[in-house]
Amino acid sequence: MVRLLQYADIIVDISSEHLDKTYQYSIPEELKPVAMIGAPVIIPFGKGNRTIKGYIVSLSDEPKINVQFIKPIVAIEEKGIRIESQLIALAYYIKEQFGGTMNDALRTVIPVKKSVKHIEKRRVVLAVTKEEAHQLLATALKKSHKAKARLLQELIEKVEIDYELVIGKLNISRSTIESLIKDGAIKLQSETMYRNPISIDPSRKKTISLNEEQQTAVNTILKDYNEGIRKTYLIHGKTGSGKTEVYLDIIEGIIASGKQVIMLIPEIALTYQTVMRFYARFGERISIINSRLSQGERYDQSLRAKNGEVDIIIGPRSALFTPFKNLGLVIIDEEHEASYKSEMPPKYHAREVAIKRAELSGASVILGSATPSLESYTKAMNGEFGLFQLNQRAKEAKLPMVHIIDLREELRNKNKSMFSNLLRELIEDRLIKGQQTMLFINRRGYAGFVSCRSCGHVLKCPHCDISLTSHNNGSLKCHYCGYEEVMPKLCPSCGSKYIAAFGTGTQKVEEMVKKEFPTARILRMDADTTRQKNSHEEILATFASGEADILIGTQMIVKGHDFSGVTLVGILAADMSLYAGDYRASERTFQLLAQAAGRAGRGELPGEVVIQTYQPEHYSIVSAATEDYMTFYEKEMSYRKLLKYPPAAHILVALLLSKEEERVKRASDLFAGVAKMYLDANLAALGLSEEERGRDIQTSIIGPTDASLAKANDIYRRVIYFKYESYDSLVLLKDFLEGYIETSEHFENIAVQFDFDPMSSY
């Protein structure tokens, strides 16, 4: 039997400015069965008890003030779910599933409503007949009111004129305009103009014939949708297989049925090139949201969406909360990207939240990637997601030829340059032929791993099979179990002195390219060169137009870009991300290398890829070279199962932060102890022996230990990992720990953040 609660906290203004301002009301007995999070309510408000609308954001049995001052809810509206109700229910789901406060969750999903000035287009319009206007003109000329006469003359000819033209070009003062308005001769008309971040005319719509694999995906998903079947689908398509064309055809079918679409793209790949493909197909019924828009532009796009003036919104993670009233489809392109996971509380993953939002809206979800996350592919293999495989490249383009270069051999052959002999030869060849080259530096996840340039040996944790992280004090540390050792002077594998923390940067590569290839026209794309608004687009447009020979960059150059002139991709330090001190390191390496290799040979000319590595035999590198996802998946999943890492099991991270080092140490020890007691009690309920419980708990709790960044901005950071096969069990543990924090005096001035299945180590 479900226990019905007594009180509801209600917000009366849906805006980020007022989310902290809630009012508590009692729930009449007859309304308790329908009083739920997000429900729209009618309440008496203020001294006069005028009735206004509000939304329930939390329920409880505890009165916050004297019960005699708590008013009852008048009614709960049950006529259809408003978009605000849906977003509040989504916020509650985020709070429950991922931790954090309800206010944090609400701020995440509710569009920011601040005092942003509207842009108004005003016109001066003739308010009398032309005959009357001629009489007024004659009077103005007779009285030498030249400005009035000039304006009336123009309006007799044109009837209405833009207000800014009247003030500027005609040089008419505001007092003259006001005088004519007072006389009833003219009037002002205005309309609100939305700031549209897309300001380029669309090109003509191109009709592209889909191949059989693409058409099957389109037909099946649209057939399901039209038959009322709502599912989550994974489209696994090799690089260049035309996933975007599949999305476009499905979107066309969805919006034809009167529904709206959210298209998520990693911010780094949200380029002019991508947006224009959609704009060419759907015109002004699309809009974009990204971090580089002004506050006014972001607010206007949210308003346009809510008012039904937009059918498709394209953007990164935050676009998921666009207030569409008739949402029919959510697409998450490059669904494997780590940027879909929030790094700030609540630390939600857009994939899971999209599926929940679709459930609340009656919508479908499509996930797409050439290198799907292990989580999504496992669900597809288990039948939870529908799966479509696109194995052919669009336009019958061939996959590039891939060369794996062993940098240990290069060193033995006295080549100490960052360019292998083959890569140098191929770059020279492309410069002679007038073809383009992309040089990708795999710096993602770099965390100071230590390796030997002579034999390729990397120092790893003996307990966790991840690389040790180099610290400034000369120690090497594992941030999963706390294992620590001293930095060796010689390689423990071959005795070489060439052992050090590994690292290189885009500027250094650019300097070397200029030195080796002085005639080449070079572009660099990294965090430094893309600080300005539109700088991404400018660099990519310059490269796409053939104004540069070589583009150097980090992962931002390999995200979904399609350059037909690129016939060579060089991947420098391919294995750097393998040693990021993170259980996802092999997966990230495979994804990055496969995506980078996929940039070559997308046009009519064949492509070549050079992968430079100290670990040429590593399964993630070998699999990426041939884009053999299944071989990689099976190998990686065997490791995940063995070591109980997601998706074979799940991890909950508790990060404790405080300005006082001793306080955070005590709190983290206490936290781990309380969690151990909770798990012990629950495992006992399952009938396990004391020995079995002890063994299970020992493998389930790791830490507490200092975070990899143990102190930042004078804040001390401690971390505890909880590993368990059941995600729901970890959610219950999180709920218990949140309750403990609220009641314990030991957590004053201690912040606690929870993170499920983290995308990187702490």
Side-chain angles (χ1 to χ4, degrees), residues 287-300:
S287 189
I288 63 169
I289 287 178
N290 63 37
S291 62
R292 298 187 178 229
L293 298 188
S294 69
Q295 200 171 57
E297 285 173 333
R298 288 176 71 87
Y299 178 70
D300 282 357

Side-chain angles (χ1 to χ4, degrees), residues 549-568:
D549 304 305
I550 301 172
L551 175 62
I552 301 164
T554 52
Q555 69 267 21
M556 63 177 68
I557 71 170
V558 302
K559 305 296 180 187
H561 306 311
D562 196 339
F563 301 114
S564 58
V566 173
T567 61
L568 175 63

Side-chain angles (χ1 to χ4, degrees), residues 430 433-438 543-544 546 548-549 562-568 599-606:
R430 293 329 191 253
K433 291 177 177 175
Q435 296 169 12
Q436 291 177 301
T437 298
M438 292 172 75
F543 191 61
D549 304 305
D562 196 339
F563 301 114
S564 58
V566 173
T567 61
L568 175 63
R599 298 312 106 202
R602 295 171 78 97
E604 293 178 8
L605 297 170

Side-chain angles (χ1 to χ4, degrees), residues 631-680:
T631 298
F632 167 77
Y633 174 81
E634 288 166 4
K635 185 81 171 174
E636 180 67 11
M637 277 303 294
S638 67
Y639 283 118
R640 301 282 180 97
K641 287 172 184 173
L642 185 67
L643 295 165
K644 291 190 175 179
Y645 287 138
H650 296 282
I651 295 175
L652 169 63
V653 179
L655 178 67
L656 290 82
L657 308 101
S658 175
K659 289 188 175 181
E660 301 172 55
E661 186 176 12
E662 285 307 312
R663 181 184 282 270
V664 79
K665 280 185 176 178
R666 282 198 305 272
S668 62
D669 289 340
L670 191 62
F671 211 58
V674 168
K676 184 174 182 292
M677 288 168 56
Y678 171 85
L679 290 173
D680 193 29

Side-chain angles (χ1 to χ4, degrees), residues 44 60 133 160 193 206 228 242 248 401 421 427 503 562 716 719 752:
S60 73
E160 63 177 57
M193 300 296 291
K206 296 176 184 175
L248 290 167
M401 180 187 295
N421 290 323
I427 293 173
D562 196 339
Y716 293 92
V719 66
V752 181

Side-chain angles (χ1 to χ4, degrees), residues 62 103 146 184 461 494:
E62 295 295 323
N103 275 338
K146 293 179 182 178
C461 172
C494 73

Side-chain angles (χ1 to χ4, degrees), residues 397-413:
K398 297 280 187 282
L399 286 168
M401 180 187 295
V402 182
H403 311 274
I404 299 178
I405 302 298
D406 186 344
L407 290 176
R408 297 169 300 186
E409 280 295 319
E410 294 289 316
L411 186 64
R412 281 192 278 270
N413 293 330

